[in-house]
Amino acid sequence: MAQPAVRYRVWVGGLPPDIQKEDLYEKFSKYGAITDVVLRTSERDTYAFVTYPERTEAEEAIARMDRSCAWGAPVKVNISKDFAPTGPRRKTAEGKPINEPA
């Protein structure tokens, strides 16, 4: 069975509540080809996950954008724990990862 493609997700926190996906594409595409942007809002924070196909692109985005004031106040940018493209990693009852997709 073929392994799922590796992807590198970058977490971006402290975003303004009115931000749009297009704003994130505009700023983060400077560092590489973006494969996906997911925008989330909670009671405490507006945050996003920006996905790159290459590790070097994700690392460059983190280095350049972390603590930047791209939208006014400083944003936090860090690597996200990655999930397989089919969803979160599953674990056995003993807590060991199950490597095959569901």
Side-chain angles (χ1 to χ4, degrees), residues 5 11 16 25-27 30 37 41 45 52 54 56 59 61-63 67 74 79 86 90 92 95:
W11 174 84
Y25 273 105
E26 181 183 334
K27 295 285 186 191
K30 295 175 185 176
V37 172
T41 302
D45 194 12
Y52 292 96
E54 300 294 329
T56 55
E59 290 173 343
I62 293 165
R67 297 186 180 146
I79 196 73
T86 56
R90 296 183 308 137
T92 65

Side-chain angles (χ1 to χ4, degrees), residues 21-95:
K21 281 185 177 184
E22 294 77 20
D23 301 325
L24 292 158
Y25 273 105
E26 181 183 334
K27 295 285 186 191
F28 282 86
S29 65
K30 295 175 185 176
Y31 311 108
I34 295 173
T35 58
D36 189 34
V37 172
V38 177
L39 192 57
R40 299 274 191 251
T41 302
S42 72
E43 292 179 16
R44 296 178 36 197
D45 194 12
T46 298
Y47 57 97
F49 296 98
V50 179
T51 306
Y52 292 96
E54 300 294 329
R55 180 183 180 139
T56 55
E57 296 169 340
E59 290 173 343
E60 182 72 12
I62 293 165
R64 301 287 183 150
M65 293 296 292
D66 188 36
R67 297 186 180 146
S68 72
C69 296
W71 294 281
V75 294
K76 299 173 198 144
V77 184
N78 208 332
I79 196 73
S80 170
K81 290 184 179 178
D82 195 32
F83 293 112
T86 56
R89 293 183 185 109
R90 296 183 308 137
K91 294 185 178 181
T92 65
E94 295 82 30

